[in-house]
Amino acid sequence: MLPPVILWNENRLSLLDQRRLPCSVEFLECERAVDVAEAIETLAVRGAPAIGIAAAFGVALEAGKGRAAASRAIERLAVTRPTAVNLFWALRRVEARLRRLPADAPDSALFSAVLDEAFAIQREDLEGNRALGRSGAKLLPDECTVMTHCNAGALATGGHGTALGVIRSARDAGKKVRVFACETRPLLQGARLTVWELMRDGFDVTLLCDNMAGSLMKSRRIDAVIVGADRIAANGDTANKIGTYSHAVLAKHFGIPFYVAAPLSTFDASIPSGEAIPIEERAADEVRKLPGGGMLPAEYSIWNPAFDVTDASLISAIITEKGAIFPPFAEGIASFLSE
Ligand code: MRU
């Protein structure tokens, strides 16, 4: 069993502090929206759907102080991380909910409405992931080995997970799934989070460094690569954790199906292709840190994009809560989003 990841508790937001995992299970108590914003920026809470859920609760922390306070919270939360579109999607939902209230609604009504919306976003994400998991599970053989990257699990969502949700649902359907998890430099979400999450759930999971993926695919039978997404453009180009693109190129080379698992809240129909997806660049020190505890010299020039874009042409299917979309993606995406 996993501890709660995002928990509203007596008018405070309690976040499982993912910076501390797997060494210790600690919770970060947030009393103001700015606490949530900082938790998102520092990756105490991370993963596209979880960022959106946490942000919605972050607005709830301020909504009882009036519309202006809620708007300030939305503005602050919107500048935390640029790539995960679920953040903006969730904030828009909260904003729309506030707009539907009468102009003279008391602050207590604003608070209740935002809190209710945040709970709905969290609940719908969990339900969506279960549906997404069931449709993705059908794509996997009865006995299979899959490779994943970063953490697109219960820790990154309202529960169950997207990429890891497919793996969980496959097991629930009686399939035998073995997992290889890439460590995911520089912040090691795969090593620290995915392996921890899957081991706690009793999965057969093996860790590898990102640069071992090619050797793994060459030397063992890998039946599928399954990853999550931070933003999917109208044509299917997909932004996800840096390193995903290299895995997709390798998977194509070896003829291995490459699946993206994501809820519809991760699609951005306003962006025609991956070129327009904003890619977050993070602090050089994340790369500068050495395993032994030291730092690379400050004068080293470092490039640290947090995400990359996988071309739709490298993706075998995009698995959503409404079912899987197969290439060419544009039509399927448009129809799923319009339903
Ligand atoms: O920087 P992170 O840890 O927030 O990046 C997370 C990912 O890239 C996930 O794969 C993505 O958000 C999907 S989570 C269901």
Side-chain angles (χ1 to χ4, degrees), residues 43 46-49 51 81 149-153 156-157 162 189 228-230 240-241 306-307:
L43 274 55
R46 33 66 52 202
I51 291 170
R81 299 195 72 190
H149 187 70
C150 194
N151 173 267
T157 63
T162 57
Q189 288 93 330
D230 281 80
N240 190 49
K241 178 54 56 192
F307 301 96

Side-chain angles (χ1 to χ4, degrees), residues 2 7 32 36 40 47 61 73 98 114 120 137 144 165 195 200 219-220 272 283 298 306 334:
L2 290 175
L7 186 70
R32 297 164 309 155
V36 180
I40 293 172
L61 290 170
L98 283 171
V114 174
C144 59
V195 176
R200 278 183 86 111
S219 60
R220 312 238 182 149

Side-chain angles (χ1 to χ4, degrees), residues 311-336:
D311 306 352
S313 61
L314 298 172
I315 300 171
S316 312
I318 305 177
I319 303 160
T320 79
E321 64 271 42
K322 284 193 184 165
I325 310 174
F326 296 94
F329 294 112
E331 210 175 296
I333 291 174
S335 111
F336 273 25

Side-chain angles (χ1 to χ4, degrees), residues 37-241:
E38 286 168 10
I40 293 172
E41 283 163 346
T42 59
L43 274 55
V45 61
R46 33 66 52 202
I51 291 170
I53 295 163
F57 281 113
V59 182
L61 290 170
E62 307 293 338
K65 299 172 197 159
R67 282 188 191 270
S71 298
R72 279 195 301 275
I74 291 171
E75 264 170 44
R76 174 66 184 88
L77 287 156
V79 294
T80 49
R81 299 195 72 190
T83 306
V85 77
N86 306 61
L87 169 66
F88 309 101
W89 170 88
L91 291 175
R92 273 200 308 275
R93 263 184 74 156
V94 165
E95 236 172 356
R97 182 75 182 253
L98 283 171
R99 263 200 311 274
R100 287 199 298 275
L101 292 174
D104 59 352
D107 293 349
S108 59
L110 306 182
F111 168 72
S112 304
V114 174
L115 187 60
D116 184 62
E117 195 66 29
F119 275 123
I121 290 170
Q122 187 177 35
R123 191 179 55 245
E124 288 166 26
D125 190 64
L126 172 60
E127 287 162 6
N129 288 342
R130 290 201 172 117
L132 173 163
R134 282 191 297 274
S135 64
K138 293 184 196 140
L139 299 173
L140 296 181
D142 287 348
E143 218 177 300
C144 59
T145 303
V146 303
M147 193 188 89
T148 189
H149 187 70
C150 194
N151 173 267
L155 291 171
T157 63
H160 198 67
T162 57
L164 301 192
V166 171
I167 290 165
R168 283 199 167 91
S169 297
R171 182 171 71 175
D172 293 346
K175 300 190 177 189
K176 194 162 180 267
V177 190
R178 177 161 194 230
V179 184
F180 279 95
C182 293
E183 66 174 353
T184 318
R185 277 274 292 157
L187 295 179
L188 304 180
Q189 288 93 330
R192 295 187 302 105
L193 307 177
T194 293
V195 176
W196 182 81
E197 176 178 335
L198 289 179
M199 279 183 70
R200 278 183 86 111
D201 231 358
F203 277 95
D204 175 351
V205 53
T206 302
L207 176 67
L208 68 152
C209 300
D210 302 329
N211 54 4
M212 298 168 186
S215 284
L216 177 77
M217 292 181 193
K218 193 174 182 182
S219 60
R220 312 238 182 149
R221 189 188 161 86
I222 300 296
D223 297 285
V225 177
I226 313 179
V227 297
D230 281 80
R231 195 185 290 231
I232 302 174
N235 70 345
D237 288 352
T238 294
N240 190 49
K241 178 54 56 192

